[in-house]
Amino acid sequence: WSIYIWSLPPNTMLNKSLRLPSLQALFVFEASARLLSFTKAAGELNVTPVAVSRMVGRLEDALNFKLFVREKTGLALTSQGAALLNAVTAGFGQIGLAIEELKHESTEGEVVTLSITSGFAALWLGPRSAHFKKQFPSVNLRGQSWPGILLGPLDGADLGVRLHGQGSAQDP
């Protein structure tokens, strides 16, 4: 059972000067944003709410924009916070899929290549992968995953997911 995820087109180099926040800061942000609570995030991460609040504050300072609106009734995500949460969730999902694939890499069985978006891989396929493996233990899934909306041909994949509206050129 294999799932390979490519998040960049072939022969594309990631900008080496790109500076990303620490993985720890992104974990703390993800938990806080998902739970909309520094206190609940602290409980999940086994740290203090003050530590979570400070980490999120340092992340906001490093990014030069606010991720949360702090209200008397709790936290709310800003538009930038919501966008970052989507990206972090998809990224962590891809990392999780890659780790699972490496743990369970197998050379036996049929290989089926999927052409899907990174969001579909992280949010839909990932949570269902264990059930699929139980149902089809000899099938190795390999995903060609791309950020954004996919249109057009499958580029060598066996199966693909394409989304389009009614009446579009792709509508049968």
Side-chain angles (χ1 to χ4, degrees), residues 43-125:
E44 184 174 291
L45 299 169
N46 281 336
V47 296
T48 66
V50 172
V52 170
S53 178
R54 286 184 182 161
M55 179 65 76
V56 169
R58 285 195 303 263
L59 178 60
E60 289 174 327
D61 289 345
L63 297 173
N64 292 318
F65 56 80
K66 294 292 181 189
L67 299 168
F68 296 97
V69 176
R70 289 142 177 94
E71 301 171 338
K72 289 181 182 180
T73 57
L75 295 176
L77 285 169
T78 64
S79 60
Q80 293 97 334
L84 183 59
L85 177 61
N86 287 337
V88 167
T89 301
F92 286 166
Q94 284 187 313
I95 292 167
L97 287 172
I99 290 170
E100 281 302 308
E101 185 278 322
L102 292 170
K103 285 181 177 179
H104 300 99
E105 193 169 88
S106 171
T107 57
E108 297 179 28
E110 182 181 356
V111 174
V112 176
T113 303
L114 306 173
S115 177
I116 54 181
T117 64
S118 57
F120 184 85
L123 301 174
W124 191 89
L125 184 61

Side-chain angles (χ1 to χ4, degrees), residues 1 106-112 133 136-142:
W1 158 253
S106 171
T107 57
E108 297 179 28
E110 182 181 356
V111 174
V112 176
K133 182 61 181 167
F136 306 98
S138 66
V139 176
N140 295 315
L141 291 181
R142 294 189 181 179

Side-chain angles (χ1 to χ4, degrees), residues 17-46:
S17 65
L18 181 65
R19 305 240 344 134
L20 297 174
S22 74
L23 188 57
Q24 180 182 13
L26 293 175
F27 272 126
V28 170
F29 164 72
E30 187 279 333
S32 300
R34 180 173 33 85
L35 299 169
L36 290 176
S37 168
F38 292 154
T39 302
K40 290 178 183 174
E44 184 174 291
L45 299 169
N46 281 336

